[in-house]
């Protein structure tokens, strides 16, 4: 092949490449798709709770021993935290469930009691009455153990599932399985049924680590419910990031969950409108989460982060600080008095400064 022929072939390949890129861009233009109906929905992680330093966080780190200086009175997974999350504009509240030794279910995050409470040992080795006798605020400190602002104020605050359901009312809950025992799904299903709660109608969700165990069991027990694992969400997210540009909605996203980091929105084809249409067509759901590489938790915890979420997005946003971000998104929900408002502003300023 002479140089002239080679140039012609290279030119043709370049034209084909440019045409392919142009076609990919056009078929994925988000603004050519109608905005989906509805409004953005906030998931309040653990309800209203005390945020903590995530730097060098390990699997067994006691997070209660490294909280920020408190700027509100609420502890995670308590009835008051659920109530406040409702008042502050959460459309869904994430809670952690733990079976008890007497066959009940309590709301508690950790596997053991030693970090947060004045008790010790595994949560699952205690009866509900024993859990209620503990001080749920005993271990919280923001200054390395010099002071314990919630000590003595948390006796009786570990709630039963039934109490949490009553407090939540019709507000959807996202139940987090902390173990891989499928029997915990059976126990939760029985408790929900006994309480007369229709999780599919209300929009409850169920998730945990691992595709087997409680997650798989819950899928069979509650057909049509929102059920996902961390692994299945990761699989849908990765598959769509790779295939979405070809207008393919991957099988991994059928009835699945796609998680979009705040600083990776550009990586997802058709974001936000067209992507939402594609996921809705296969029964999928979309959650916006905190930036990859950020210093916080899974969810958003700074008011300005909300401005990075597209106005036409009507899926879910994972929120760490519902106390601040709920009213930031919907100012009519700001019921804080001037002192609380000033303390909240100071806390946000300190959080930003710690990350600079």
């Amino acid at each position: 092949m002479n140089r002239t022929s080679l140039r012609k072939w290279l030119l043709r390949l370049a034209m084909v490449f440019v045409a392919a890129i142009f076609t990919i861009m056009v078929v994925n233009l988000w603004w050519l798709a109608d905005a989906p109906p509805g409004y953005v929905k906030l998931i309040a992680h653990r309800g209203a709770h005390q945020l903590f330093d995530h730097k060098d966080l390990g699997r067994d780190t006691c997070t209660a021993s490294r909280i920020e200086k408190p700027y509100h009175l609420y502890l995670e997974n308590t009835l008051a935290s659920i109530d406040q999350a409702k008042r502050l504009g959460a459309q869904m509240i994430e809670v952690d469930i733990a079976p008890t030794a007497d066959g009940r279910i309590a709301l508690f995050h950790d596997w053991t009691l030693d970090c947060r409470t004045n008790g010790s040992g595994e949560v699952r080795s205690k009866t509900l009455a024993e859990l209620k006798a503990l001080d749920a605020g005993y271990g919280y400190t923001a200054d390395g153990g010099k002071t314990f602002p919630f000590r003595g104020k948390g006796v009786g605050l570990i709630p039963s599932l039934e109490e949490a359901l009553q407090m939540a009312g019709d507000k959807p809950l996202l139940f987090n399985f902390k173990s891989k025992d499928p029997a915990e799904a059976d126990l939760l299903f029985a408790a929900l049924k006994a309480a007369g709660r229709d999780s599919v109608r209300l929009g409850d969700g169920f998730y945990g680590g691992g595709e087997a165990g409680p997650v798989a069991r819950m899928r069979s027990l509650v057909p049509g419910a929102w059920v996902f694992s961390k692994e299945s969400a990761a699989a849908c997210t990765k598959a769509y990031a790779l295939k979405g540009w070809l207008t393919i909605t991957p099988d991994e996203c059928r009835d699945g969950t796609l998680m979009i980091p705040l600083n990776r929105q550009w990586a997802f084809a058709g974001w936000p409108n067209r992507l939402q249409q594609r996921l809705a067509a296969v029964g999928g759901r979309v959650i916006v989460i905190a930036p990859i590489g950020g210093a916080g938790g899974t969810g958003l915890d700074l008011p300005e982060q909300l401005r990075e979420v597209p106005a036409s997005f009507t899926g879910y946003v994972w929120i760490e600080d519902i106390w601040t971000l709920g009213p930031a998104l919907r100012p009519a929900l700001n019921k804080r008095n001037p002192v609380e408002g000033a303390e909240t502003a100071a806390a946000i300023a300190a959080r930003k400064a710690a990350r600079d």
Side-chain angles (χ1 to χ4, degrees), residues 23-272:
T23 301
I24 288 173
M25 296 301 294
V26 169
V27 298
N28 286 295
L29 286 174
W30 68 270
W31 45 268
L32 292 180
D34 293 335
Y39 53 87
V40 68
K41 294 170 278 292
L42 305 184
I43 301 175
H45 187 205
R46 308 186 192 183
H49 72 282
Q50 302 298 318
L51 272 67
F52 52 86
D53 182 8
H54 283 75
K55 184 178 180 180
D56 300 323
L57 196 65
R59 183 172 179 269
D60 298 319
T61 302
C62 176
T63 57
S65 68
R66 53 197 294 167
I67 62 170
E68 296 179 355
K69 180 181 177 182
Y71 50 100
H72 63 72
L73 303 175
Y74 303 100
L75 299 177
E76 63 183 55
N77 287 306
T78 62
L79 298 181
S81 80
I82 293 173
D83 186 44
Q84 280 303 308
K86 290 171 58 178
R87 293 172 181 270
L88 294 167
Q91 280 69 49
M92 176 175 258
I93 303 168
E94 190 262 9
V95 295
D96 304 292
I97 60 171
T100 65
D102 53 345
R104 303 286 297 281
I105 296 177
L107 265 56
F108 198 79
H109 176 273
D110 297 354
W111 194 265
T112 63
L113 297 162
D114 304 70
C115 169
R116 303 182 191 282
T117 80
N118 56 336
S120 62
E122 293 187 359
V123 178
R124 289 157 175 75
S125 70
K126 310 297 182 182
T127 66
L128 183 61
E130 288 173 324
L131 294 176
K132 284 188 169 294
L134 298 175
D135 181 358
Y138 187 85
Y140 287 80
T141 179
D143 52 16
K146 296 177 183 178
T147 60
F148 293 86
F150 299 102
R151 185 167 288 185
K153 302 176 183 178
V155 177
L157 292 190
I158 299 177
S160 68
L161 174 68
E162 290 78 11
E163 291 170 324
L165 295 178
Q166 185 174 7
M167 178 59 73
D170 288 343
K171 185 69 65 176
L173 294 172
L174 179 58
F175 298 96
N176 182 15
F177 292 107
K178 306 302 292 186
S179 88
K180 296 183 179 180
D181 182 0
E184 294 193 7
D186 293 309
L187 187 63
L188 176 59
F189 175 73
L192 294 174
K193 185 176 181 180
R197 189 173 179 90
D198 187 340
S199 289
V200 175
R201 180 182 67 82
L202 293 177
D204 290 338
F206 309 87
Y207 81 108
E211 266 300 288
V215 170
R217 183 66 177 147
M218 214 66 201
R219 282 201 180 98
S220 64
L221 290 171
V222 192
W226 183 14
V227 184
F228 67 97
S229 68
K230 296 174 183 178
E231 291 78 6
S232 68
C236 169
T237 301
K238 181 179 179 180
Y240 187 88
L242 293 173
K243 301 177 182 179
W245 295 101
L246 302 176
T247 71
I248 297 172
T249 305
D251 290 339
E252 291 90 339
C253 293
R254 185 168 297 279
D255 297 322
T257 301
L258 191 157
M259 293 189 169
I260 299 185
L262 197 63
N263 60 346
R264 295 290 188 274
Q265 298 176 67
W266 52 266
F268 295 88
W271 173 254

Side-chain angles (χ1 to χ4, degrees), residues 325-336:
L325 272 66
L329 180 65
R330 301 181 174 99
L333 298 173
N334 184 10
K335 308 299 182 183
R336 295 187 293 260

